[in-house]
Amino acid sequence: EDRRNLIMMKKLLKEVAVLAMAAVVAVSSVSGVQAAVASPTVSVVPVDKKNVAATDGNNVDTKADGTAEVNDVTVSKNIATVPATVTVDGVTYTVTVIKAKAFAKTAKKAKKIVIPATVKRVNKMGFTGAKKVKKIIVKGTKSFTVKKGAFKGLNSAKITVKVNKKMKAKEFKKLKKNLKKAGFKGKVTK
């Protein structure tokens, strides 16, 4: 009987040892997961914010749906390139709107503006302030909305809009119509 108790005692000790090891592994993996989680002060999901600086230097308004509206566009070598995406506080947003006077502060001397395929709308006075612009390049193959007065304060007759060669005729015609409604008087080419 003592021998049987001794064998049962050894089995219990083994089980306790296995459970203790499992607990150590579980605790260490949980703390590892906690270390990988971002600080609670940094958002890892899209949020609504006004006029915040993105990592690329552009100022944007971010939206909870993961989109952004560009307020100020940065310039490099006289080219103002609207970014397709921006990152704010570790979250990447898709740029869908060019807001009023987006080129007025930082892109006054830009001669060329590049618009990515992600842009769906240019607001009223969107190009205002870009007085030296001669060419606007549209990278997308889809038309987008250009609000009336988007070219306010510019001599749009001296500006050429060059669109992606892969843009279908129907979309090209739609974009030309949108530009004309916005007050654009220059050339639109492929």
Side-chain angles (χ1 to χ4, degrees):
E1 195 174 309
D2 285 337
R3 191 163 197 246
R4 199 185 314 174
N5 284 341
L6 188 62
I7 292 171
M8 284 183 66
M9 197 66 132
K10 282 183 179 180
K11 281 184 180 179
L12 280 172
L13 281 173
K14 280 183 182 178
E15 285 181 31
V16 168
V18 168
L19 290 173
M21 291 292 268
V24 167
V25 169
V27 168
S28 67
S29 66
V30 167
S31 65
V33 169
Q34 288 172 337
V37 174
S39 161
T41 58
V42 176
S43 174
V44 290
V45 294
V47 293
D48 287 332
K49 284 188 178 179
K50 294 275 185 198
N51 204 25
V52 292
T55 55
D56 62 2
N58 292 291
N59 282 340
V60 296
D61 291 348
T62 60
K63 305 290 179 193
D65 65 359
T67 62
E69 300 180 355
V70 120
N71 295 320
D72 294 318
V73 178
T74 57
V75 177
S76 177
K77 298 178 183 175
N78 288 331
I79 300 172
T81 303
V82 177
T85 60
V86 293
T87 303
V88 176
D89 295 334
V91 180
T92 301
Y93 297 87
T94 302
V95 175
T96 58
V97 177
I98 297 173
K99 293 190 75 173
K101 299 184 180 181
F103 303 96
K105 292 180 189 170
T106 55
K108 288 179 185 177
K109 295 182 180 180
K111 293 182 180 175
K112 201 184 282 187
I113 294 173
V114 180
I115 300 174
T118 59
V119 169
K120 295 183 180 352
R121 183 179 77 231
V122 177
N123 283 352
K124 181 178 181 178
M125 296 174 65
F127 296 107
T128 299
K131 295 194 182 267
K132 299 205 178 218
V133 73
K134 298 289 178 220
K135 186 183 269 187
I136 298 172
I137 298 168
V138 178
K139 294 281 190 178
T141 57
K142 299 278 184 193
S143 177
F144 52 87
T145 303
V146 184
K147 295 288 186 176
K148 186 176 181 179
F151 296 92
K152 188 173 183 176
L154 300 180
N155 184 357
S156 65
K158 293 183 177 182
I159 300 172
T160 300
V161 174
K162 186 169 174 32
V163 302
N164 188 328
K165 289 180 182 177
K166 294 180 182 176
M167 184 180 275
K168 295 195 168 141
K170 184 178 177 182
E171 292 294 325
F172 182 69
K173 186 176 178 181
K174 189 175 171 183
L175 181 60
K176 282 176 76 170
K177 184 178 176 183
N178 289 346
L179 288 166
K180 188 173 181 180
K181 277 185 185 178
F184 182 72
K185 294 176 176 68
K187 290 191 321 187
V188 182
T189 64
K190 275 195 177 185

